[in-house]
Amino acid sequence: MTTDPFTVPLERLRARTSAKWRHYGPDVLPLWIAEMDVDLADPIREALERAVRDGDMGYPGSTPFVESFVDFARRSWAWPDLDAAHVTPVQSVIMGYVDAILELTGDGGEVVVNPPVYPPFVSYLRQAGRVIREAPLGENLRLDLEEIDRAMAAATSGGRGAAYLLCNPHNPGGAVHTRAELENVARLARQHGVTVVSDEIHAPVIHAGAEFTPYLAVDPTGLALHGASKAWNLASVPAALLVGGPEAAALESYRAGKHHSPGHLGVIAQTAAYSRGGEWLTGMLAGLERNRYLVRDLVADRLPGVTYTVPEGTYLTWLDFGTMLGEDPAAILLEQGRVALSSGPAFGTGGVGHARLNIATSPAILEEAVARIGIALERTQFAGRSQVSV
């Protein structure tokens, strides 16, 4: 029997010392960073407790991290060419894709991204000396193939090498790219000579009616990053896996370089997640299934003029406030409603007038969050009317 993990009482959540619960004051309801309001799955907790009890605090050793992921992926997704020999443990998904793209592109090389998108897609690569080339999503928050074609052509003009950093499924908004969409991306990548690096950290978090397709299932030359940290709430013990397609020339050069490796506790925790965390994951997904429609109904009923995109995957949803709260609604919501969402403009083109809402929490907290958003809207609109009347 599976159990809904979104039942942790608010008073116990507020006792946590993580960024989600300590970045803002105790009067703020935080629904911003990608952290779930859950307790650890029992197999993960037991594995970590055993490591601490036994003083198993050294470097990663014989834990079957790669094998546990390969078994999970084969059970979960249609990925016939997945081979453990093509999987390399890395420190985190972010460090994995940054290191991979540095191997693929020289200083000043271009990287295509699809805004609005997870801000570290841009910030870390700019810091590493790469140029970001935007191919914005379409109005429906799905991939715009014409924009991708245009961006790839511009990024490779003059014979420059370029990479395309894909978010699959997409953060924010939760679009799960279809096989047909990914096949078209692969076709464009071949046409322009661009290597695709796919961030697939949210791949286990797919909702009813959608199906996750690994990018490497359609492109044997690409690279992908996987990790259990989002699906099992393991940000504090990071680890990830870089997966190369069977024809990924960049994988060997990556392995030959000096790259960041995961920590031992991260490997232990994520191995337990992939190998023994299936029942917990099923219960978590059932809770998210309820939550994504609960928020849809609450927004429709209580927030006139606000548009909520029901996610196909992830728990990081997208709210469109239009022009009601200016360019950065999250700033107004924090000030007027004491509810913290992620700032829309931080996600790049398409983020103005939007905010990201994390729905991985209890129904009661989501109801309170929507109520606070409603209060902020009322206060802002009242202030606007008062200024007009004066």
Side-chain angles (χ1 to χ4, degrees), residues 26 39 42 68 92 105 139 141 167 179 181 194 224 249 277 322 324 340 380:
D39 285 327
D42 285 343
S68 67
S92 67
T105 60
E139 291 184 1
L141 293 180
C167 197
R179 177 174 287 270
E181 287 172 324
V194 172
M324 291 188 293
T380 303

Side-chain angles (χ1 to χ4, degrees), residues 48-133:
L48 291 173
E49 287 175 345
R50 182 165 53 250
V52 173
R53 183 185 64 240
D54 294 346
D56 190 5
M57 294 288 124
Y59 296 100
S62 60
T63 304
F65 185 25
V66 170
E67 294 79 5
S68 67
F69 165 72
V70 169
D71 289 344
F72 175 84
R74 287 174 175 167
R75 293 194 309 269
S76 304
W77 313 309
W79 198 345
D81 294 329
L82 179 59
D83 184 342
H86 296 156
V87 183
T88 300
V90 295
Q91 183 189 75
S92 67
V93 165
I94 290 177
M95 293 310 304
Y97 68 64
V98 169
D99 283 347
I101 288 172
L102 294 186
E103 291 284 346
L104 293 166
T105 60
D107 191 47
E110 298 203 4
V111 183
V112 176
V113 302
N114 303 120
V117 71
Y118 180 52
F121 266 40
V122 174
S123 58
Y124 281 75
L125 290 165
R126 280 184 174 156
Q127 290 172 10
R130 299 307 182 261
V131 176
I132 301 302
R133 176 75 62 172

Side-chain angles (χ1 to χ4, degrees), residues 324-336:
M324 291 188 293
L325 296 180
E327 292 190 357
D328 188 5
I332 304 299
L333 297 176
L334 180 61
E335 178 185 352
Q336 297 294 332

